[in-house]
Amino acid sequence: MEAVHHQLLTLTGVLICFYILVKWIRFVKYIYAHFWSALPKTFFRSLGEWAVVTGAGDGLGKAYSFELAKRGLNVVMISRTLEKLQRVASEVEQTTGQKVKVIQADFTKNSIYENIKKSLQGLDIGVLVNNVGMLHNPLPCRFLNGPDTDENLINCNVISVTKMTRIVLKQMVPRKKGLILNLSSGLSTFPCPLYTMYSASKVFISTFSKALQAEYKAKGIIIQGVAPFGVSTPMTMYQKPSLITKTAEEFVSESLDYVTLGDEIFGCLAHEMLACVLQFVPLWVFHSNILQEAVLYAFTHYLKKRWRNP
């Protein structure tokens, strides 16, 4: 019996050491890529002439549009509000000198994709950023206390990713190159009460991205899920930036350096470290009623204090 216990303890120790080693290697890859082995300046342009960004009017979508244009790509910006889209597109053109094309589309509707498909025909698309998304409730709340916008959220967060990927991937496969970034969330790493619908929709994106990368990696396509935690955007009511909460520009600039590091990343070193810490917290802690009550009151108060005007 003692021999069995000894073997079990040894096996447990080996597994723990292996887990720590894997995590350490992942951190080293992030650090190495950030400081010593950034992607070649021509990497993104080598994939194609154009990038397509959904939800491009503000927040992460706006930041991706600017950053990809700075890296040599023309940009197709797709969003709901035409006036805002045109204003941002003009800023991108004037700042970077790249061509910008705008497409107005409300991703809560399913009737938009035929027009998008026609508008993208003939473009040499190298990068697709499926960024558009909506939060069921900006402040934590129980499912029945939130707004009844379930269909809109599923259309925007889930259907948009599959439809846009289908349109653009068909163009990438014959050329055997391309990059698709699907914006998930750190809240997809565990079933997150009080943000139930949002968390569940982002789990789909995470699984979809990993499975699709397995299917198309051999064809030269990079498909990556990006799962940020705190980013200061309109969706998060412009939370004040901090060590964890990044500005959209900071997050996008860093995350684009890691597009070759795996089928899912957290986008920046700070979020990668946070994800590692959260993995050690038992699920029952997140799901306990005590923690939920604390989040509903204390965390809501904390969030409101950190809101700021854009």
Side-chain angles (χ1 to χ4, degrees):
M1 184 64 71
E2 287 186 13
V4 173
H5 286 166
H6 179 72
Q7 290 176 352
L8 286 174
L9 288 173
T10 301
L11 179 60
T12 302
V14 169
L15 290 175
I16 291 173
C17 289
F18 179 73
Y19 176 81
I20 293 173
L21 177 62
V22 169
K23 287 296 178 183
W24 172 247
I25 291 173
R26 188 175 174 91
F27 287 141
V28 169
K29 287 169 67 178
Y30 266 82
I31 295 169
Y32 183 75
H34 186 66
F35 291 104
W36 295 291
S37 184
L39 291 172
K41 291 183 178 180
T42 58
F43 173 79
F44 291 95
R45 188 56 188 252
S46 71
L47 299 173
E49 294 182 12
W50 289 84
V52 176
V53 182
T54 66
D58 51 30
L60 284 171
K62 177 181 176 181
Y64 271 112
S65 298
F66 266 100
E67 190 62 31
L68 288 167
K70 288 177 184 177
R71 300 191 186 205
L73 290 169
N74 301 320
V75 184
V76 179
M77 302 176 65
I78 310 177
S79 191
R80 179 176 58 183
T81 308
L82 183 59
E83 182 180 349
K84 182 190 295 184
L85 199 57
Q86 290 173 331
R87 184 172 65 251
V88 176
S90 179
E91 292 175 18
V92 174
E93 285 183 326
Q94 292 174 14
T95 302
T96 66
Q98 297 299 129
K99 297 177 184 177
V100 179
K101 178 182 176 72
V102 299
I103 302 174
Q104 183 182 22
D106 182 353
F107 284 96
T108 64
K109 313 297 182 184
N110 282 326
S111 58
I112 62 173
Y113 295 101
E114 193 58 37
N115 178 57
I116 291 175
K117 183 178 179 180
K118 290 179 181 177
S119 299
L120 295 180
Q121 283 181 350
L123 298 183
D124 179 26
I125 300 171
V127 179
L128 167 64
V129 181
N130 280 314
N131 162 75
V132 70
M134 61 180 288
L135 192 60
H136 194 257
N137 42 289
L139 293 174
C141 71
R142 300 194 189 281
F143 176 69
L144 292 179
N145 295 334
D148 185 10
T149 56
D150 302 345
E151 186 175 350
N152 285 347
L153 183 140
I154 291 170
N155 285 339
C156 189
N157 291 12
V158 176
I159 301 300
S160 69
V161 176
T162 61
K163 293 287 191 181
M164 290 302 301
T165 298
R166 186 177 296 276
I167 291 170
V168 176
L169 187 59
K170 285 181 179 179
Q171 302 180 29
M172 292 178 170
V173 170
R175 294 184 288 113
K176 296 184 178 180
K177 59 182 179 179
L179 168 66
I180 298 176
L181 300 177
N182 295 326
L183 269 292
S184 178
S185 169
L187 298 185
S188 70
T189 56
F190 62 94
C192 185
L194 308 182
Y195 287 103
T196 300
M197 285 294 297
Y198 181 77
S199 172
S201 70
K202 295 302 184 177
V203 170
F204 171 86
I205 294 175
S206 176
T207 302
F208 176 76
S209 301
K210 292 175 184 177
L212 207 63
Q213 175 66 123
E215 290 183 20
Y216 287 94
K217 184 176 182 179
K219 298 184 183 298
I221 314 297
I222 300 172
I223 300 168
Q224 185 182 74
V226 183
F229 281 92
V231 181
S232 180
T233 66
M235 183 185 290
T236 60
M237 301 297 184
Y238 294 99
Q239 291 288 303
K240 293 177 183 177
S242 64
L243 183 64
I244 297 298
T245 303
K246 302 294 183 178
T247 67
E249 293 75 18
E250 289 172 340
F251 179 84
V252 167
S253 178
E254 188 171 347
S255 69
L256 285 176
D257 290 334
Y258 306 142
V259 296
T260 59
L261 292 190
D263 55 12
E264 184 173 56
I265 62 170
F266 293 97
C268 64
L269 186 58
H271 291 185
E272 183 71 34
M273 295 174 69
L274 176 60
C276 186
V277 171
L278 292 177
Q279 286 179 1
F280 288 99
V281 180
L283 191 58
W284 64 262
V285 173
F286 291 114
H287 288 184
S288 67
N289 193 59
I290 293 175
L291 182 61
Q292 289 183 55
E293 291 298 325
V295 169
L296 281 171
Y297 296 102
F299 188 61
T300 295
H301 180 68
Y302 168 80
L303 287 176
K304 286 182 176 179
K305 283 179 62 178
R306 291 181 60 82
W307 285 358
R308 65 176 178 85
N309 293 323

